[in-house]
Amino acid sequence: MAYSFPEEVLEHVFSFIHTDKDRNAISVVCKSWYEVERWSRRRIFIGNCYAVSPGIVIRRFPELRSVALKGKPHFADFNLVPEGWGGNVYPWIAAMAMAYPMLEELRLKRMVVTDESLELISRSFKNFKVLVLSSCEGFSTDGLAAIAANCRNLRELDLRESEVDDFSGHWLTHFPDSCTSLVSLNISCLASEVSFSALERLVGRCPSLRTLRLNRAVPLDRLPNLLRRAPQLVELGTGAYSAEHRPEVFSSLAGAFANCKELKSLSGFWDVVPDYLPAVYPACSGITSLNLSYATIQSPDLIKLVTQCQNLQRLWVLDYIEDGGLDALAASCKDLQELRVFPSEPYDMEGNVALTEQGLVSVSEGCPKLHSVLYFCRQMTNAALVSIAKNRPNMTRFRLCIIEPRTRDYQTLEPLDVGFGAIVEHCKELQRLSLSGLLTDRVFEYIGTHAKKLEMLSVAFAGDGDLGLHHVLSGCESLRKLEIRDCPFGDKALLANAAKLETMRSLWMSSCSVSFGACKLLGQKMPRLNVEVMDEGGRPDSRPESCSVEKLYIYRSVAGPRSDMPRFVWTMKTLS
Amino acid sequence: MERASDKISSASSSTISSESEKSTALNLRETELRLGLPGSESPERKPQLGVSLFGKDLEDKTNGYSLGSLKGFVSGAKRGFSDAIDGSGKWVFSVNGGSEVDLGKGAVLFSPRGGNGVKPLGGLDNNSAQKSCMPGPAMKDVAAPSSPKPVQEKKPQASAANEHASAPAAKAQVVGWPPIRSFRKNTMASSAKNNEDAEGKSGLGCLYVKVSMDGAPYLRKVDLKTYCNYMELSSALEKMFSCFTIGQCGSHGLPGRDGLTESHLMDLLHGSEYVLTYEDKDGDWMLVGDVPWEMFTESCKRLRIMKGSEAIGLGLSVILRKEKCIRASCLFKAFQT
C-alpha cells in the first residue's frame, strides 16, 4: 500500500468499537492496528487475575480508564476454596496507582480487597467514579470511609454480597456535603445501622441517584422519607420490610411508592410482613426486576404481588412460591426472561414446600422469552426436562439443582441423562449449564455432541468414568470454564485433552480421581498452563504419585506461576 | 448459638442435679427421668429432658406459680452446666467408636425419624465440633452408601453454625452442597432466627411453626395464632394431613384446663396411629396437650406428628411424670417455704 489511514482516523473509527471481543479482533489485524487499538483502549475485562500480570497489562494498554478483575474460582462461593488461597487485589492497585492516575472505574469479583487497597484507591485516582465489589472480602468499614471521604466524583459504590468487617455505620458520614454525584449506592450486605439522617441528606443532595440498595438495618418507617427525597429512583432495595401494622406508616409508604414513577427494580424485603406488601402495588406495573429471594412469605402473598407485575422480566424468589405460584407467574408475566428459585430450607431432608418440576414446566410453557433459569428443587423427571427443552429452545442459561445428589427420575427411576440431553439438543444457544441428579457418562456424550455454544459447565456427583470428561473436553468447542466436583474422572481424559485446556479460562476439579502424577505431567508438558494442586494434607509429593489430589485448579496464563500461593497450594514448579 | 451449646453432650445428668441440689437442697435426682437403655451412654438430650420435665411437672401441679421463674431455675442450671463444660473439647455431639451406636439407640426413643437413625437433635454447635468429626460417619451408615464424604468446613463458624442450627436434618452435610452462596446462607439463617425471636411478639400477627408428619413428603407451616385451643389446632392439622388423628382429644372434649387427662392419654397411645408432639423452646419434645393453650403457643417451636409406636418413650415419660407429680408437688411446697 502506498499509504494507509492516518492513525487519527483509525482511532476515531475504533472509538465506536466497544466490546472486548471486537477490540481483540481488530488488534490482531496488523501491527499498526494493534498499536492504534492498544493506545485507544479504555476498558478491559480480565476474567482471571492470574492469567496476566499488572505489568503486562500496563505495558500493552497505557490509557485504561476502566478495569474489571475476577479472582477466585466460582466454587469459592460454596466454601470449596480455602481461606488464604489468593486473589488479593493490592498488587494491581499499587501498579495502577502509578500507571493510571486517570483511572475511573474498578469492578472486582471474588477478590480479596484490604482497607489498604481501598485507601490507596481513594488517594491515587483523582477522577475515580465507580467501585463495584462483588462477592469480595477482606475490607472493613474503615476502608469504605476512605472511599467516601476522598473520592470527590464518586458515582457508584456497590458492595453486592461482599463480606465486610462492619465496625459501625459511621463511615457513611464521611461523604462530604459537597458530594452530589452519586448515581448508585448498594450497601445491602452491611449489617450495621448507618446514620439515617446522614443517609437521608446524602440521598437528598444527589439528584442523579438511580440505584439505592439499603441494608437490613434500615427500618421500614424510614423508607418513605428516603423515597420522597429520591422520587427519580429506578432501582430500590428496601431494608427490613416489617413493622407493626400502623395505618399511618402504611399510607406514608404507599404514597412514597406511588410517587416513584421511574421504579423498575425492587429488592431487599427482609423479614417481610405481608400486610405491608400492598404498599408497593402502585409501583408494580413498571417493575421489570423483582428480587424476593430473601422474602420469607408464603405462596398466596407472593402470588398477589407477582401477578401485579405484568411487565416483569426478572424474578428471583424463594421456593415458597410453590408450583401454584409459578402457574400464576406463567399466566401473568409474559415478558419473563429470567427466573431464579432458591431453596428456603436447603438442608432439610424432606421438602417443606409444594414446589416440584411442574412449576418450572409451567413457566417454560407460559413465558416465551424465558431464557435464563436457576432452579432448586427436590424432584425431577426426564419428561419434564424434555418438555422444558422443547418449550424453550431459546434457553441460554440453565442451572438446575436437585438438592439431593444423584437423584433419579422419580417416575421412571432412570438417570436424568435423557432430560439434560434434550436441553442441550434443543437449546442450541445454550451458554451456561449446571447439572444435577443421577447422571451417567451418557449425558456427557450428549453434551459433547450438541452443546457447541456452551461456555460454562458445572458438574457435581455425576458420570461413571473418564469417558464422560473426555466427551466434554473434546466436544464442547466454546467451553471456557469447567468446574467439577465429586465425579469419578481421572487422568486419562485430562491428559488426552491437555491442549484443550489452553483454549479455556480455567478448569476446577475437586474430589475427583486425578492423580498427582498426572498433574505433574500436565504441568511439565504445558508451560502456558498453571496447574495448581490444593491439598491441605501436606505436600502431594510426599505420597505416591498415584494418589488423587484433593483439588485441582488449572488455568491458562501468560504470567507464569503466581508468587502468592499459600502453603496448601502447589504447582509443579514449586515441587521440583 | 445458645441452643446448640445447651445441647452439648453430657456424660451424665448427675452433674446437673448436683448443681441444682446444691442450690436448692432438693433431691431432684429421684424425679429425674432417664430414658436411655440401661448402660448406654446418655445422648445429649436425656438429662435435659429429665430436668425440664421436672420443671414442667412443677408447673402442672402448682397452679398460679409462675413457670417463668422455675424454668429459669431449671434452665439456669442447664446453662450453668453447659458453660462449665464449654471450655473443654470433650463434650461434643459426635463421640467416637462404639458410642455412636448408643447414640443411635438413644436417639430412636426421641427422634421420630427412627428409621434414619441418628438425628442431631436440636442442632449442632459446629464451634465445639471443630476438633471432632461431624456426625458424618454415623450418618453414612444409615444413609445411602453413595453419600458424599462429609468434610469439615474450614470457613468461619457463623455460616456453619447457622446451617446446623436451622436444619436438624439427619443427612451428613457436604461442604458446598447444595450450591448456595455463604451470603445467602447467612442471611437466611439470621432470617430464621429473627422469625423465631419475633414469634410470640404481639403485633407481628403470626406465629408460624413447622408441622411435619412421619412419612409425609412435605412439611407444612401453621400459624398458631389462628387457633384458640387444642381442638381447633387438631382439626386443622387433621385436614392438612388427613390420615392424622389426635385420638380422643377432640371427641371427648377437653377438661377445664385444656389438658389431656391421663386416661385420654392412654387411649391415645394405645389406640391411634399417630401422636402430636411439639418441640418447646428448650428443645425438648413434649406431647401436645399437657400445658394450657397460651403456654403452649408461647413455647412451641415446631410440631411433629409422630408414629404412636415411636412416641411411646414420650408417653412413658408423661405417665412417669404424672406419678411423680405428687411427689414433686410435695417437694415443691418445701421449696416454696
Side-chain angles (χ1 to χ4, degrees):
Chain A
M1 288 280 281
Y3 56 85
S4 52
F5 276 134
E7 280 187 5
E8 293 80 6
V9 176
L10 276 179
E11 205 175 312
H12 183 69
V13 172
F14 290 176
S15 69
F16 296 99
I17 314 277
H18 300 298
T19 69
D20 293 327
K21 229 177 129 204
D22 292 340
R23 280 259 164 187
N24 292 344
I26 65 181
S27 71
V28 293
V29 165
C30 64
K31 281 206 175 119
S32 64
W33 281 36
Y34 177 90
E35 284 298 310
V36 176
E37 193 283 316
R38 77 183 187 89
W39 279 94
S40 63
R41 197 179 304 209
R42 297 284 173 265
R43 174 180 297 271
I44 195 166
F45 168 77
I46 297 166
N48 175 6
C49 65
Y50 290 119
V52 70
S53 71
I56 294 173
V57 174
I58 290 168
R59 225 174 13 249
R60 179 170 171 189
F61 300 114
E63 302 278 345
L64 292 179
R65 298 270 185 278
S66 165
V67 174
L69 280 169
K70 288 190 178 180
K72 300 185 205 173
H74 174 237
F75 273 175
D77 284 353
F78 316 128
N79 294 342
L80 287 177
V81 175
E83 285 283 295
W85 175 85
N88 195 328
V89 79
Y90 189 82
W92 287 88
I93 308 294
M96 291 192 294
M98 310 283 280
Y100 303 134
M102 299 312 294
L103 189 74
E104 294 177 4
E105 303 181 354
L106 204 49
R107 292 180 170 83
L108 307 176
K109 187 165 185 181
R110 281 189 216 103
M111 294 202 78
V112 175
V113 182
T114 56
D115 284 345
E116 211 185 357
S117 296
L118 291 177
E119 279 151 23
L120 190 54
I121 291 169
S122 75
R123 288 195 316 267
S124 311
F125 309 116
K126 298 295 166 219
N127 207 21
F128 197 69
K129 294 189 174 129
V130 172
L131 184 62
V132 178
L133 301 176
S134 177
S135 302
C136 294
E137 55 169 353
F139 61 100
S140 77
T141 41
D142 289 350
L144 294 179
I147 297 285
N150 301 331
C151 299
R152 285 192 239 120
N153 293 315
L154 196 66
R155 297 225 185 113
E156 278 184 50
L157 179 60
D158 186 340
L159 305 176
R160 51 180 87 156
E161 302 197 339
S162 290
E163 256 180 62
V164 185
D165 255 335
D166 197 338
F167 299 140
S168 82
H170 187 68
W171 67 274
L172 193 83
T173 59
H174 286 255
F175 278 109
D177 289 340
S178 55
C179 171
T180 57
S181 50
L182 271 185
V183 172
S184 169
L185 181 64
N186 179 353
I187 57 170
S188 54
C189 63
L190 297 179
S192 293
E193 218 174 76
V194 294
S195 153
F196 300 135
S197 49
L199 182 60
E200 279 173 24
R201 278 180 280 121
L202 180 63
V203 166
R205 64 176 182 269
C206 294
S208 308
L209 192 68
R210 291 173 22 120
T211 300
L212 181 63
R213 307 263 191 215
L214 303 168
N215 63 341
R216 199 176 191 165
V218 177
L220 192 58
D221 54 12
R222 286 284 178 174
L223 195 52
N225 277 350
L226 286 165
L227 291 180
R228 261 185 269 284
R229 281 171 170 70
Q232 76 282 4
L233 272 183
V234 175
E235 301 183 326
L236 171 72
T238 72
Y241 205 79
S242 68
E244 297 202 356
H245 193 94
R246 298 200 315 264
E248 71 277 10
V249 174
F250 181 90
S251 55
S252 177
L253 190 61
F257 270 113
N259 206 27
C260 291
K261 307 229 188 282
E262 311 292 327
L263 265 185
K264 289 208 163 26
S265 165
L266 283 177
S267 64
F269 295 106
W270 290 286
D271 313 315
V272 179
V273 164
D275 287 345
Y276 274 102
L277 280 177
V280 313
Y281 289 174
C284 283
S285 56
I287 295 295
T288 57
S289 169
L290 195 50
N291 182 353
L292 296 169
S293 63
Y294 298 106
T296 50
I297 47 176
Q298 304 297 311
S299 188
D301 296 310
L302 284 167
I303 291 175
K304 270 189 234 147
L305 179 56
V306 159
T307 49
Q308 304 253 348
C309 304
Q310 310 273 337
N311 289 313
L312 201 60
Q313 294 172 13
R314 175 193 303 160
L315 176 65
W316 292 21
V317 72
L318 286 171
D319 55 9
Y320 290 129
I321 194 164
E322 298 190 336
D323 287 346
L326 292 175
D327 287 341
L329 178 71
S332 315
C333 304
K334 294 304 182 184
D335 270 353
L336 195 71
Q337 297 176 20
E338 177 180 329
L339 174 67
R340 296 196 190 189
V341 178
F342 295 94
S344 50
E345 304 275 0
Y347 305 107
D348 265 5
M349 258 177 57
E350 304 168 348
N352 58 320
V353 290
L355 179 102
T356 69
E357 76 281 7
Q358 191 46 51
L360 186 56
V361 172
S362 294
V363 181
S364 76
E365 276 166 8
C367 302
K369 300 189 189 166
L370 184 73
H371 68 87
S372 173
V373 167
L374 170 63
Y375 199 76
F376 283 81
C377 60
R378 286 184 163 84
Q379 63 183 51
M380 188 51 60
T381 62
N382 283 307
L385 286 171
V386 170
S387 288
I388 293 165
K390 289 184 171 161
N391 290 337
R392 297 271 61 80
N394 53 324
M395 192 73 72
T396 58
R397 305 163 84 77
F398 189 74
R399 293 149 70 188
L400 180 67
C401 179
I402 304 167
I403 289 179
E404 180 66 28
R406 303 196 183 90
T407 303
R408 295 170 179 269
D409 175 327
Y410 73 91
Q411 283 175 347
T412 64
L413 299 185
E414 283 177 356
L416 292 172
D417 300 332
V418 166
F420 280 105
I423 295 279
V424 293
E425 193 185 331
H426 292 276
C427 307
K428 303 204 193 303
E429 303 300 313
L430 197 68
Q431 287 169 18
R432 184 165 180 185
L433 179 64
S434 297
L435 306 172
S436 58
L438 182 67
L439 297 164
T440 71
D441 279 347
R442 261 181 86 195
V443 73
F444 298 110
E445 197 184 334
Y446 293 140
I447 291 173
T449 307
H450 294 286
K452 296 304 179 188
K453 300 270 179 76
L454 192 66
E455 297 180 11
M456 182 168 177
L457 179 64
S458 308
V459 186
F461 308 107
D464 305 316
D466 275 60
L467 200 54
L469 181 57
H470 175 70
H471 284 308
V472 171
L473 289 177
S474 57
C476 296
E477 292 159 5
S478 310
L479 196 64
R480 292 188 298 113
K481 288 181 281 183
L482 179 57
E483 45 186 29
I484 302 172
R485 61 163 297 173
D486 293 273
C487 295
F489 298 147
D491 301 342
K492 296 197 208 83
L494 202 54
L495 293 174
N497 292 282
K500 170 74 174 178
L501 298 176
E502 270 189 12
T503 69
M504 293 165 54
R505 182 189 296 174
S506 65
L507 167 66
W508 168 282
M509 293 179 74
S510 58
S511 307
C512 297
S513 310
V514 179
S515 74
F516 174 63
C519 295
K520 248 176 78 170
L521 195 55
L522 208 53
Q524 285 159 4
K525 263 174 58 173
M526 313 288 297
R528 285 186 301 190
L529 289 181
N530 279 357
V531 178
E532 291 183 11
V533 168
M534 253 175 279
D535 214 309
E536 290 170 280
R539 288 178 65 100
D541 59 354
S542 61
R543 273 159 274 143
E545 279 198 3
S546 54
C547 278
S548 297
V549 299
E550 253 175 41
K551 294 172 185 170
L552 177 61
Y553 185 50
I554 301 175
Y555 56 91
R556 66 179 174 190
S557 177
V558 295
R562 56 188 177 112
S563 52
D564 61 350
M565 283 179 291
R567 50 161 184 81
F568 54 83
V569 177
W570 286 270
T571 63
M572 302 315 109
K573 275 81 173 181
T574 60
L575 285 168
S576 54
Chain B
M1 300 185 76
E2 60 155 288
R3 175 153 307 281
S5 62
D6 281 347
K7 294 291 168 284
I8 294 171
S9 180
S10 54
S12 76
S13 51
S14 54
T15 318
I16 297 174
S17 52
S18 54
E19 275 201 36
S20 32
E21 272 175 352
K22 286 182 200 133
S23 41
T24 65
L26 291 174
N27 181 9
L28 301 182
R29 199 177 289 149
E30 264 192 294
T31 55
E32 266 180 22
L33 302 169
R34 245 162 270 253
L35 293 170
L37 302 175
S40 72
E41 213 168 289
S42 311
E44 50 183 18
R45 244 179 216 265
K46 290 188 279 203
Q48 277 128 358
L49 185 60
V51 176
S52 68
L53 273 183
F54 174 75
K56 285 174 168 51
D57 280 341
L58 298 182
E59 188 278 321
D60 262 354
K61 278 304 175 191
T62 58
N63 303 323
Y65 184 84
S66 88
L67 178 66
S69 51
L70 181 65
K71 259 177 80 87
F73 150 68
V74 168
S75 320
K78 279 197 282 181
R79 232 162 261 136
F81 178 68
S82 64
D83 282 347
I85 64 176
D86 220 359
S88 91
K90 280 203 273 178
W91 309 109
V92 293
F93 172 76
S94 178
V95 291
N96 302 317
S99 44
E100 275 171 352
V101 175
D102 292 336
L103 207 55
K105 275 196 250 167
V108 162
L109 284 174
F110 295 88
S111 167
R113 301 190 212 252
N116 262 331
V118 186
K119 172 169 122 60
L121 308 166
L124 291 175
D125 182 353
N126 211 33
N127 294 324
S128 63
Q130 271 288 308
K131 293 172 221 173
S132 79
C133 54
M134 289 180 28
M139 305 305 161
K140 229 174 143 182
D141 293 335
V142 260
S146 57
S147 251
K149 62 177 187 295
V151 175
Q152 249 178 300
E153 288 223 28
K154 300 284 178 157
K155 265 286 186 163
Q157 281 73 329
S159 53
N162 285 341
E163 265 177 65
H164 289 288
S166 64
K171 269 296 187 160
Q173 287 193 22
V174 183
V175 175
W177 191 267
I180 297 165
R181 288 188 171 181
S182 315
F183 180 78
R184 176 168 296 280
K185 272 195 297 204
N186 295 345
T187 305
M188 292 304 290
S190 49
S191 253
K193 189 164 183 288
N194 285 350
N195 284 342
E196 284 171 15
D197 293 343
E199 275 168 11
K201 276 198 204 131
S202 62
L204 275 177
C206 68
L207 196 57
Y208 277 110
V209 298
K210 288 193 220 178
V211 190
S212 64
M213 176 169 163
D214 291 357
Y218 302 122
L219 303 179
R220 290 279 159 197
K221 269 191 174 178
V222 291
D223 179 355
L224 288 184
K225 290 239 160 121
T226 60
Y227 313 111
C228 306
N229 55 41
Y230 286 114
M231 246 161 55
E232 284 184 19
L233 174 65
S234 159
S235 48
L237 290 178
E238 206 166 348
K239 286 196 198 96
M240 220 181 277
F241 298 91
S242 40
C243 52
F244 159 74
T245 52
I246 199 167
Q248 319 312 309
C249 184
S251 45
H252 288 194
L254 299 171
R257 60 175 179 83
D258 278 351
L260 290 172
T261 63
E262 191 169 348
S263 62
H264 289 163
L265 189 58
M266 293 314 294
D267 288 342
L268 193 71
L269 290 174
H270 291 233
S272 78
E273 226 181 274
Y274 288 95
V275 167
L276 182 60
T277 64
Y278 72 102
E279 180 182 7
D280 75 359
K281 279 197 151 43
D282 297 326
D284 302 315
W285 286 92
M286 319 292 294
L287 280 180
V288 166
D290 268 345
V291 301
W293 173 256
E294 294 72 27
M295 197 120 345
F296 165 70
T297 56
E298 271 169 40
S299 63
C300 172
K301 284 196 61 204
R302 56 187 293 175
L303 290 160
R304 173 164 278 136
I305 304 166
M306 208 187 276
K307 283 211 167 79
S309 51
E310 283 172 3
I312 282 175
L314 280 177
L316 186 65
S317 79
V318 173
I319 291 163
L320 285 173
R321 183 200 322 156
K322 302 285 183 194
E323 286 174 20
K324 301 254 191 301
C325 267
I326 300 155
R327 205 185 311 175
S329 68
C330 300
L331 291 170
F332 179 68
K333 282 187 182 121
F335 173 59
Q336 254 187 325
T337 52

